[in-house]
Amino acid sequence: MKVIINLLFVFLIVTSCTAQNQVSKEKNKEFQYDNNNPKLVVGIVVDQMRYDYLTRFDSKYGDGGFKRMIKEGFNCKNNHFNYIPTYTGPGHTSVYTGTTPKYHGIIGNNWYDKEIKEMVYCAQDDSVQSVGTTNDAGKMSPKRMKTTTFGDENRLFTQMKGKTIGISLKDRGAILPAGHTANAAYWFHGMDEGAWITSTYYMEELPKWVLDFNASGVAESYLKVWDTYYDISTYTESGNDENLFEGGFKGKEKATFPYDLAKLKDDNRGFDILKATAYGNSLTTDFAIEAIKNEQLGEDNITDLLTVSFSATDYVGHNFGVSSKEIEDTYIRLDKDLERFFEFLDAQVGKVNYTVFLTADHGAIEVPAYLQSMKVPSGYLNNTETRTRFTDYLNAKFKSSDLIENISNDQIFLNRRYIDSIGLNINDVQESMVNELIGYKHVEKVFSAHTMTTTDFTTGIESLLQNGYNQKRSGDIILVADPAYISYGKTGSTHGSGLNYDTHVPLLFFGKGINHGETYDKTVIPDIAPTISALLGISFPNAATGQPLGFVIDKND
């Protein structure tokens, strides 16, 4: 009897173990998605990168960065933004949502909120708290973005098993690409701290690896002399080092190499000075590598996403301009950072296991003062003169200037309640203002909200304005300046228009599932998210208007 009981006990144990193994296998099977998908997708946005930086500095690039992407991947040579305004917040959002501000709602970096009657910031969220600092720099989230990203869709598709992490020196460059469901977004807080931070939207405290990185002294190690990577005499693709068109740093008389960052930091917001040098991108690369290692990104068959925005290029461009030695050196050094980043991915994730795309959030204009010296039509808008003339018109036409609530981002927001209270028709007021403003110096075009919402534009600047016009958030009047005329200082570059210098940016795909080749066919920024979604076999972002670029995807991989 005892033998029978023992045999029965053994049978039950074996049966139970077999059942558990079967359940385990079924569980694993449940989360084993298409093994042919990349284990890791890396989205790279280079802030303020014009397309011609790929070609102009080509002879200075090595074989492992930009050139590797072009040689082994696919180069879309005629890639453009298809909306206005071309700013950082809208740019990063459009790359990852596959649509334009008309739908995703990020109409600028800052904009006038018509409901609360004040300016708001695209990533601002006072309902969350800073993590990693006591400064308010961490009170950020993606709540103002109205749509999903392809990272969100990948998270939903994998039942939240695939990770998403966003990294950038800028909060908006980390938060908006990562989406609403991201595991984490980290950005760099300079000043006297020099630390990577986040918000309680994602977590209550920083992971140990982030704390260790912040305590490691890596950021401080870049407070050193910034000199050219190669002999400055070989930098023939840029202008003279000393010129009239660059800003430079406080505490240094001339905007010329070299720059002793340790000595200059106290006059330039401490660690924030790193953001405006090539070393800001190196610091971002260091942190991205640590994120991949410590978050185990790309270590299983469920696709993870890392979004990386290299922001230093934008700060350098704004400060020194498109044709500066500083911008050339920044891209030479970025190319080196990309090379070591790809080599790390090869070793850590596996050369055949990851996919990368690289693009920009906007381009940049040549410094208008420089263009003027070359006899190219260009210049600077006199906003004070325009406002004075416009106020005089309001008082003469409507006996009041109270019709205006706000003027920002080349838009005029009307006080609709006041206009209604004095018995005026809003469409008539808009049309009158359009007819007035079109006569102003260096105003190329003017459109009303009524026109934007009742006319279907399919080509030209008008179409780009419409793609950037969000009926709920945009203004009543939209102004377009003459080409190469900007509201900015006399040194450094800026952006925001629908002209080619702001819209034409790189688009490179590289890695698993990507064809080798190039095209001059026009592609647009909202095509990126549907292309990656198609590659992964997941739902497109919920408001995507772009189309998947089928010629990019290698259907045999």
Side-chain angles (χ1 to χ4, degrees):
M1 187 65 159
K2 186 179 290 186
V3 172
I4 294 174
I5 292 173
N6 287 338
L7 287 172
L8 181 61
F9 182 69
V10 170
F11 174 77
L12 289 172
I13 290 176
V14 171
T15 304
S16 175
C17 289
T18 302
Q20 288 178 16
N21 287 338
Q22 188 62 34
V23 169
S24 179
K25 287 179 181 178
E26 289 299 318
K27 184 177 180 182
N28 287 337
K29 184 179 179 182
E30 180 182 352
F31 294 108
Q32 288 298 313
Y33 300 105
D34 184 0
N35 290 338
N36 202 40
N37 279 352
K39 294 183 176 183
L40 176 64
V41 172
V42 180
I44 297 175
V45 175
V46 183
D47 205 320
Q48 201 187 117
M49 185 176 183
R50 291 162 53 113
Y51 177 81
D52 67 346
Y53 290 160
L54 274 183
T55 55
R56 179 145 57 100
F57 305 138
D58 176 79
S59 65
K60 297 297 191 296
Y61 294 146
D63 293 327
F66 291 117
K67 286 184 176 180
R68 179 178 173 186
M69 295 193 76
I70 293 170
K71 181 180 179 181
E72 298 181 17
F74 203 97
N75 184 2
C76 298
K77 295 185 172 184
N78 189 22
N79 183 63
H80 289 263
F81 281 87
N82 63 339
Y83 65 83
I84 298 171
T86 43
Y87 295 141
T88 297
H92 282 79
T93 307
S94 297
V95 168
Y96 288 88
T97 63
T99 190
T100 68
K102 180 178 182 179
Y103 298 105
H104 62 58
I106 304 299
I107 63 171
N109 293 334
N110 303 274
W111 65 85
Y112 180 71
D113 189 311
K114 294 185 283 190
E115 294 185 11
I116 64 175
K117 309 300 183 186
E118 62 183 46
M119 294 296 293
V120 296
Y121 175 60
C122 61
Q124 173 188 345
D125 187 350
D126 292 335
S127 71
V128 301
Q129 300 301 314
S130 300
V131 176
T133 180
T134 57
N135 191 281
D136 284 349
K139 300 178 74 171
M140 304 288 168
S141 85
K143 75 170 187 177
R144 286 193 163 86
M145 182 170 62
K146 301 174 72 173
T147 64
T148 64
T149 65
F150 75 79
D152 289 324
E153 297 300 335
N154 185 61
R155 291 272 287 157
L156 294 169
F157 180 84
T158 62
Q159 302 303 304
M160 312 305 279
K161 299 294 181 181
K163 283 188 175 183
T164 297
I165 293 178
I167 292 170
S168 175
L169 295 177
K170 295 181 180 179
D171 49 54
R172 58 186 180 272
I175 292 167
L176 298 172
H180 299 279
T181 62
N183 301 82
Y186 301 104
W187 52 99
F188 186 71
H189 176 54
M191 303 293 285
D192 60 346
E193 296 183 47
W196 292 89
I197 65 171
T198 188
S199 80
T200 53
Y201 180 87
Y202 305 99
M203 62 192 73
E204 293 300 318
E205 58 184 22
L206 290 175
K208 183 178 182 301
W209 71 265
V210 178
L211 292 172
D212 289 345
F213 188 94
N214 287 339
S216 69
V218 173
E220 190 171 5
S221 72
Y222 287 114
L223 291 173
K224 57 185 180 180
V225 174
W226 177 26
D227 206 348
T228 54
Y229 189 85
Y230 298 117
D231 189 316
I232 196 169
S233 66
T234 68
Y235 283 29
T236 54
E237 297 79 12
S238 47
N240 294 330
D241 192 27
E242 184 175 352
N243 59 70
L244 302 175
F245 315 118
E246 301 176 8
F249 295 114
K250 293 179 181 178
K252 190 174 191 302
E253 184 178 351
K254 295 180 179 180
T256 55
F257 280 108
Y259 298 94
D260 189 334
L261 304 184
K263 290 183 177 180
L264 293 170
K265 70 178 180 67
D266 290 342
D267 290 330
N268 293 273
R269 295 171 54 88
F271 281 97
D272 279 333
I273 196 172
L274 293 178
K275 299 178 181 180
T277 75
Y279 298 143
N281 291 330
S282 300
L283 177 62
T284 303
T285 306
D286 296 336
F287 191 75
I289 288 172
E290 289 302 308
I292 292 170
K293 287 192 294 189
N294 288 278
E295 297 293 341
Q296 294 87 49
L297 301 183
E299 289 194 5
D300 58 31
N301 289 328
I302 302 175
T303 303
D304 297 320
L305 170 64
L306 177 69
T307 75
V308 182
S309 178
F310 289 106
S311 305
T313 42
D314 184 67
Y315 289 106
V316 174
H318 277 294
N319 192 356
F320 296 97
V322 167
S323 291
S324 64
K325 300 291 188 194
E326 288 79 3
I327 204 72
E328 179 168 0
D329 191 69
T330 296
Y331 276 91
I332 289 170
R333 291 178 180 272
L334 174 59
D335 183 62
K336 300 297 182 185
D337 284 323
L338 289 174
E339 181 173 5
R340 70 183 175 97
F341 185 54
F342 295 154
E343 288 177 350
F344 166 78
L345 288 173
D346 291 343
Q348 181 77 12
V349 182
K351 191 172 182 179
V352 297
N353 292 326
Y354 67 89
T355 305
V356 180
F357 70 81
L358 182 148
T359 189
D361 57 347
H362 52 74
I365 186 176
E366 285 272 11
V367 180
Y370 169 70
L371 292 176
Q372 287 176 330
S373 73
M374 297 292 107
K375 302 181 180 179
V376 176
S378 55
Y380 299 88
L381 301 173
N382 189 329
N383 293 324
T384 300
E385 182 181 288
T386 298
R387 284 175 184 260
T388 299
R389 179 176 171 181
F390 190 60
T391 300
D392 291 343
Y393 150 78
L394 292 172
N395 289 325
K397 177 72 176 180
F398 303 105
K399 313 303 179 188
S400 173
S401 60
D402 294 336
L403 283 72
I404 307 299
E405 278 190 356
N406 178 269
I407 301 176
S408 57
N409 290 335
D410 300 321
Q411 299 180 40
I412 298 173
F413 295 79
L414 300 182
N415 187 334
R416 291 183 169 230
R417 183 173 296 178
Y418 175 75
I419 289 171
D420 184 62
S421 72
I422 60 177
L424 295 176
N425 179 277
I426 187 68
N427 293 338
D428 292 341
V429 171
Q430 288 178 0
E431 194 61 27
S432 176
M433 291 181 178
V434 168
N435 291 332
E436 167 69 14
L437 289 163
I438 195 62
Y440 287 20
K441 192 175 183 181
H442 301 309
V443 173
E444 176 76 6
K445 295 176 183 290
V446 189
F447 297 94
S448 66
H450 179 71
T451 298
M452 285 290 108
T453 55
T454 59
T455 306
D456 185 19
F457 297 109
T458 58
T459 60
I461 291 292
E462 294 81 358
S463 175
L464 273 61
L465 286 169
Q466 197 162 55
N467 285 338
Y469 187 85
N470 184 282
Q471 189 174 4
K472 190 85 170 180
R473 295 180 175 179
S474 298
D476 292 277
I477 305 292
I478 305 174
L479 296 94
V480 179
D482 279 344
Y485 275 80
I486 60 174
S487 296
Y488 203 66
K490 296 292 179 71
T491 59
S493 300
T494 193
H495 48 86
S497 79
L499 295 161
N500 284 324
Y501 49 73
D502 282 336
T503 67
H504 190 194
V505 297
L507 177 54
L508 305 174
F509 292 91
F510 155 71
K512 185 172 180 60
I514 301 301
N515 273 326
H516 300 170
E518 62 183 36
T519 184
Y520 286 101
D521 291 346
K522 186 173 184 179
T523 59
V524 293
I525 287 294
D527 293 337
I528 297 171
T531 301
I532 298 297
S533 297
L535 175 69
L536 299 179
I538 63 175
S539 296
F540 292 5
N542 60 15
T545 54
Q547 298 299 314
L549 303 175
F551 49 81
V552 167
I553 299 174
D554 183 357
K555 299 176 178 62
N556 298 315
D557 194 342

